[in-house]
Amino acid sequence: MATRSRVEVEELSQTRGQDEIEKGKVGEALQKFQVHEDTAIAYKMQSAEYKNHVSRNKEQRKSVRAGVRTAKETYLDEVRNAGILPDNSVAEIEQKQWLAEELHKRIEEQEQLARTEQEIQRLKDEVITF
């Protein structure tokens, strides 16, 4: 049995009438195809929007972190040059800043490890259910 193209279906609808086509199997198949086509397009658009959103958020966070780091460095330079705080206080502030950054890195690593372990467990659970 030969398949008909969309043009042939449209010509058929013009010759026999749209009601006859819509009631038949061709109309049902066409409707199902259109639903699947719309779903695929919607998924593709949503996926692209999500990827764009995530990449934009990553860039914004990176920019903010760089800006905060620059602001801290500038502040410490100004304090050091102005002589507002003794040199040992500035060194102590820099040490605390370094410790805070190191702690932040370790926390991020632990969170990433936890997310990875959760993903592995989820995949194992999926395998078991099948």
Side-chain angles (χ1 to χ4, degrees):
M1 193 165 141
T3 58
R4 294 184 174 152
S5 69
R6 190 175 209 142
V7 174
E8 290 174 327
V9 171
E10 289 177 8
E11 288 175 0
L12 186 59
S13 69
Q14 291 172 357
T15 58
R16 291 189 184 170
Q18 188 65 27
D19 293 335
E20 194 173 319
I21 293 276
E22 288 178 0
K23 291 178 187 176
K25 291 183 180 180
V26 173
E28 289 175 23
L30 179 63
Q31 185 178 8
K32 287 180 183 179
F33 178 76
Q34 288 173 341
V35 168
H36 289 295
E37 188 178 40
D38 290 347
T39 303
I41 290 171
Y43 177 78
K44 186 177 181 180
M45 289 173 61
Q46 186 178 22
S47 179
E49 181 180 359
Y50 176 77
K51 287 177 183 177
N52 184 24
H53 179 72
V54 168
S55 65
R56 195 173 8 156
N57 279 348
K58 284 181 181 180
E59 288 299 319
Q60 284 177 342
R61 285 194 302 261
K62 188 186 293 185
S63 175
V64 167
R65 280 194 304 266
V68 168
R69 188 175 299 121
T70 303
K72 285 180 182 178
E73 290 171 2
T74 304
Y75 171 74
L76 288 175
D77 287 342
E78 288 177 0
V79 167
R80 190 179 298 119
N81 292 338
I84 296 173
L85 294 175
D87 288 337
N88 60 350
S89 295
V90 173
E92 185 179 321
I93 290 172
E94 289 174 340
Q95 178 67 20
K96 287 180 182 178
Q97 178 181 345
W98 178 82
L99 289 174
E101 289 174 359
E102 191 65 29
L103 181 63
H104 182 70
K105 287 178 188 176
R106 289 184 183 179
I107 290 171
E108 283 182 349
E109 289 172 358
Q110 289 176 352
E111 289 174 350
Q112 180 63 34
L113 180 62
R115 284 192 296 267
T116 303
E117 289 174 352
Q118 287 175 350
E119 183 66 19
I120 290 171
Q121 186 61 43
R122 184 186 66 78
L123 291 173
K124 286 180 181 178
D125 292 344
E126 283 182 9
V127 169
I128 291 171
T129 58
F130 291 112

